[in-house]
Amino acid sequence: MPKSNDSLKYTLKSTTTESDFEQNSKRNAKLMAEATFALQHRTSPNITLMSASDDGLKRKVKKQLKANLPEYLFHDIDLTPHDVFSLRHSLLKLLPAKVLNSPPITYCVNVFGLEHSRLTVKDGQTVDSWMIGQLNYERELIFRRPNYLIILWGSHEFFMQLQREAPDFWSWATYFFEFKQEKNIK
């Protein structure tokens, strides 16, 4: 095929239409039902990975989860301003005692901003922080020790990097839900 047809095909496929948004909305509703079913009445800790294509959708999903899962108390933690090497240690340090010392599976903790710790500055150079590798090593402690559910929020790209670079951690993740854009953002 000529190059012009290839680029035309790419242009057509990459343009999101109202129909695509409608399909995403229906798909997201199904994902929400699955996430609700998967997370309700848990008796053991788990980590659920969630991605939303934009902040508005993330807020909507978070609000729906809270409404759909009244058996849990919800606590949000934003790791963005912190240099995280160990997710486990960061949670132990930053979560309040009421979450850490709560009866088993009372809380659902939304963890935001972990992906911002992928890189760090050392001697004036931006370098890999080794946080993703550390997730691989501490996966058993992260998955078995907490007395709460963890919803780890991140971008699609972050989770694809986790899948590639922390395959052991990825294989222990209980669920992965990826919510897609439902409306045009201008």
Side-chain angles (χ1 to χ4, degrees), residues 128-156:
D128 186 341
S129 70
W130 299 102
M131 180 270 300
I132 290 180
Q134 183 64 23
L135 284 174
N136 231 18
Y137 294 122
E138 65 181 13
R139 68 190 176 279
E140 290 184 48
L141 296 174
I142 294 170
F143 283 91
R144 291 191 178 152
R145 295 286 170 97
N147 59 337
Y148 46 85
L149 303 177
I150 297 173
I151 298 178
L152 182 59
W153 290 87
S155 67
H156 172 82

Side-chain angles (χ1 to χ4, degrees), residues 35 39 45-53 58 61-62 65 69 74-80 82 84-88 90-91 94-95 107-118 131-136 138-139 142-143 146 148-163 166 168-179:
L39 293 172
N46 75 8
I47 293 186
T48 299
L49 309 176
M50 286 204 183
S51 178
S53 59
K58 186 187 305 179
V61 169
K62 194 177 95 163
L65 285 172
L69 300 168
F74 280 78
H75 183 81
D76 294 351
I77 184 167
D78 185 3
L79 298 175
T80 304
H82 304 280
V84 176
F85 177 73
S86 165
L87 176 59
R88 180 177 173 271
S90 294
L91 292 174
L94 299 170
L95 284 173
Y107 276 90
C108 183
V109 177
N110 284 301
V111 178
F112 301 99
L114 180 64
E115 63 192 288
H116 296 286
S117 290
R118 290 184 283 186
M131 180 270 300
I132 290 180
Q134 183 64 23
L135 284 174
N136 231 18
E138 65 181 13
R139 68 190 176 279
I142 294 170
F143 283 91
Y148 46 85
L149 303 177
I150 297 173
I151 298 178
L152 182 59
W153 290 87
S155 67
H156 172 82
E157 293 77 17
F158 175 60
F159 288 130
M160 294 304 96
Q161 184 181 8
L162 272 183
Q163 190 176 25
D168 295 335
F169 176 86
W170 184 265
S171 71
W172 281 57
T174 314
Y175 305 102
F176 176 48
F177 298 102
E178 188 170 21
F179 295 89

Side-chain angles (χ1 to χ4, degrees), residues 16-32 51-61 64 178-185:
T16 307
T17 65
E18 287 302 315
S19 175
D20 294 330
F21 292 138
E22 289 173 23
Q23 287 177 346
N24 287 349
S25 185
K26 289 176 185 175
R27 181 181 171 278
N28 288 348
K30 287 180 184 178
L31 279 178
M32 178 54 65
S51 178
S53 59
D54 60 81
D55 287 337
L57 182 57
K58 186 187 305 179
R59 284 189 298 275
K60 176 183 172 183
V61 169
Q64 285 179 318
E178 188 170 21
F179 295 89
K180 301 283 186 174
Q181 184 177 356
E182 296 180 346
K183 60 185 176 184
N184 199 2
I185 302 170

